[in-house]
Amino acid sequence: MPDTITITDDRTGKTVTVPISGGVFPSSALRELDPSLFMYDPAYLSTAACKSEITYLDGDNGILQYRGYPIEQLAEKSTYLEVAYLLLNGELPDKVQLEAWTDDVTHHTFIHENMRKRFVDGFHYDAHPMGMFVSAVAALGTFYRDAKQIDDKESRDKQILRLIAKMPTLAAMCHRFSVGQPFVYPNNDLSFPGNFLNMMWKVGEYEVDPRLERAMDVLFILHADHEQNCGTTAMRVVGSSHADPYSACSAAASALYGPLHGGANEQVVRMLTEIGSIDNVPAFIQEVKSGTGSKLMGFGHRVYKNFDPRATIIKKAAYDVFEVTGKNPLLDIALKLEEAALSDDYFVSRKLYPNVDFYSGLIYQAMGFPVDMFTVLFAIPRTAGWLAHWQELLGDKDQKISRPRQWYTGVEARDYVDLGDRG
Ligand code: ACO
């Protein structure tokens, strides 16, 4: 098969031949044909905006790899901090590197007292924790004058360390404020997920259960990156203006805040609660199929058209968590719903399978997280992915400030009409 593609402009008869690799050809082909040509591509469905070496995703075959490692192996064998190192550096750390990286992250977990006392206290008593979190990430950058030195690798590495280390602290701070409980300082004797659970739940004597600590870490691994999704694209677009990484991460977190992106697992829990009993499942499925009800939340994916490999891992993790917490009463409804959908031609023919969000909400709920915290839980580990993409962007000579074009569909130029003459 030839490794070129030829495009002809029928208006002029001009032809241009360009290389095609992995199904991608450079848009410079269009400019060669006619410098005033642009593609109309809403939501970038057919546009690769960057080259990336970080995450590989094959939606038809249910494959997800970070830096070439299958997600299944990472979820089974590694820790979130190892995975964050892998995403950022391209290789798994050796023992010495992992020790140094863990030590560094662990010693950057504290936040400035003004964040804890004055900043967070300014929020309304019923503020949404994700709204607080988005603002807190941006505010954090103002504590570091060196945050803007993005041309200096040493400074970039320092900000990366700070952001990864402080996200759990900010997340727990927002939660504790929203439930009216006092802030819990980081405990640097604990692991990354263990410290987070401790900051979330510590009241009096509290010991982190190692099974929940591991489940939290697995969930962090599964959510660490997912190539050019909406939040990561926001990170790259803001990063392309050379804004500091705190502002860019805050923009990425804002994108995640939307219910079409990070908020689907919340919708799954609401949907299962509304269904209320396994007896109501057939009627609910009928409603979905007829188009009179909502969609089956937690099913379907823009990219995965076979299965979402993260969903399989999460389902197993759910059982591990339920061993500790007791079964989430919504589990039976979820299982029945999954069984009914997977044997129904409507869902099978449309390639609709459970996605990562179908079971993650059930786990979070069983662990005691309020529904409002679900998106915050997503943002903590996704920070590693955002920052890996930010680094890659800054080192990519092909990149410039993001500046898409538009297809102007407004009226043609006309003369200003004075107020008195407008009727
Ligand atoms: N329930 C019922 N029908 C569905 C569902 C669903 N969950 N998802 C898609 N369909 C139907 C569509 O109505 C459409 O049917 P039609 O061909 O008769 O018109 C067909 O399947 C194709 O669906 P599209 O909307 O074209 O698929 P798309 O790739 O654009 O959407 C999306 C993907 C947004 C994830 C969709 O499947 C959906 O809304 N799912 C529910 C929400 C959800 O779980 N989101 C989490 C995604 S994972 C994440 O973001 C971390």
Side-chain angles (χ1 to χ4, degrees):
M1 206 202 290
D3 53 4
T4 54
I5 191 162
T6 299
I7 306 172
T8 304
D9 185 340
D10 292 330
R11 300 167 309 167
T12 59
K14 199 170 164 189
T15 287
V16 66
T17 299
V18 287
I20 178 162
S21 164
V24 184
F25 68 90
S27 62
S28 57
L30 296 179
R31 285 197 294 280
E32 273 183 52
L33 276 180
D34 173 353
S36 67
L37 274 182
F38 293 101
M39 302 247 302
Y40 175 57
D41 186 17
Y44 315 119
L45 291 186
S46 308
T47 297
C50 62
K51 291 179 186 160
S52 182
E53 297 180 349
I54 300 168
T55 288
Y56 176 73
L57 205 168
D58 174 351
D60 289 333
N61 295 304
I63 294 172
L64 173 63
Q65 297 166 353
Y66 296 160
R67 301 283 190 182
Y69 291 105
I71 191 68
E72 292 82 359
Q73 290 178 20
L74 293 169
E76 192 190 329
K77 297 181 178 165
S78 65
T79 60
Y80 167 68
L81 280 190
E82 247 185 301
V83 165
Y85 184 100
L86 170 70
L87 289 168
L88 287 158
N89 298 289
E91 296 295 341
L92 283 168
D94 62 25
K95 272 191 187 156
V96 175
Q97 288 166 329
L98 183 59
E99 213 168 285
W101 168 241
T102 306
D103 193 65
D104 276 347
V105 172
T106 307
H107 288 96
H108 280 86
T109 49
F110 278 69
I111 50 174
H112 194 281
E113 281 294 280
N114 281 359
M115 284 294 288
R116 175 183 88 71
K117 283 192 196 146
R118 309 183 66 172
F119 174 80
V120 80
D121 273 351
F123 282 100
H124 197 247
Y125 73 94
D126 65 350
H128 193 290
M130 188 60 176
M132 296 164 71
F133 180 81
V134 162
S135 323
V137 175
L140 189 66
T142 65
F143 288 83
Y144 306 110
R145 295 295 295 180
D146 56 348
K148 291 195 176 302
Q149 294 166 14
I150 62 162
D151 294 331
D152 174 15
K153 176 160 170 28
E154 210 180 305
S155 169
R156 280 204 306 266
D157 288 349
K158 179 62 91 47
Q159 315 315 324
I160 287 173
L161 202 54
R162 286 175 173 148
L163 274 159
I164 289 189
K166 293 180 202 304
M167 286 300 195
T169 317
L170 295 183
M173 174 188 80
C174 297
H175 166 72
R176 304 281 300 205
F177 176 83
S178 69
V179 294
Q181 285 178 345
F183 178 79
V184 173
Y185 283 94
N187 179 341
N188 290 348
D189 293 331
L190 299 175
S191 70
F192 187 88
N195 174 46
F196 172 57
L197 293 176
N198 191 60
M199 289 187 290
M200 282 292 299
W201 308 128
K202 189 174 170 57
V203 179
E205 291 303 306
Y206 168 76
E207 288 238 352
V208 178
D209 187 298
R211 291 166 295 178
L212 298 185
E213 185 177 348
R214 178 61 195 155
M216 196 75 248
D217 217 23
V218 170
L219 285 155
F220 283 167
I221 292 168
L222 297 181
H223 287 93
D225 194 44
H226 211 231
E227 52 118 303
Q228 312 306 321
N229 54 80
C230 182
T232 304
T233 300
M235 181 82 195
R236 280 181 172 267
V237 170
V238 176
S240 79
S241 77
H242 290 188
D244 70 81
Y246 301 85
S247 305
C249 275
S250 173
S254 302
L256 199 62
Y257 197 180
L260 294 187
H261 189 10
N265 50 11
E266 185 177 332
Q267 300 305 325
V268 172
V269 169
R270 295 196 197 288
M271 173 188 76
L272 296 174
T273 309
E274 260 172 45
I275 295 174
S277 138
I278 53 171
D279 298 338
N280 299 332
V281 166
F284 179 80
I285 291 276
Q286 260 327 105
E287 241 178 62
V288 171
K289 286 165 56 175
S290 67
T292 52
S294 75
K295 279 189 175 170
L296 177 49
M297 299 311 288
F299 259 66
H301 197 276
R302 171 58 59 76
V303 183
Y304 295 118
K305 298 297 178 195
N306 182 337
F307 67 96
D308 180 341
R310 301 167 301 172
T312 316
I313 302 167
I314 282 205
K315 193 171 172 184
K316 179 177 175 308
Y319 284 101
D320 296 344
V321 166
F322 298 154
E323 258 180 38
V324 185
T325 61
K327 199 173 76 178
N328 185 324
L330 298 177
L331 176 68
D332 288 337
I333 304 174
L335 288 170
K336 184 77 192 161
L337 209 49
E338 183 185 11
E339 183 195 300
L342 292 182
S343 57
D344 190 304
D345 189 54
Y346 175 93
F347 297 93
V348 176
S349 64
R350 287 171 176 77
K351 302 192 173 180
L352 302 171
Y353 298 88
N355 60 46
V356 67
D357 288 321
F358 194 65
Y359 285 102
S360 65
L362 292 186
I363 303 185
Y364 294 148
Q365 201 181 41
M367 288 172 88
F369 290 103
V371 171
D372 277 357
M373 274 297 283
F374 288 6
T375 324
V376 181
L377 295 173
F378 196 153
I380 295 171
R382 186 50 65 84
T383 304
W386 292 333
L387 291 166
H389 284 272
W390 176 69
Q391 267 193 155
E392 190 176 64
L393 163 95
L394 294 179
D396 182 347
K397 298 271 178 289
D398 286 352
Q399 292 295 332
K400 290 172 185 280
I401 185 168
S402 284
R403 200 337 182 157
R405 304 301 296 248
Q406 65 167 5
W407 181 357
Y408 178 68
T409 55
V411 296
E412 287 184 10
R414 48 188 166 162
D415 285 331
Y416 181 78
V417 182
D418 288 333
L419 187 58
D421 297 333
R422 278 180 227 160

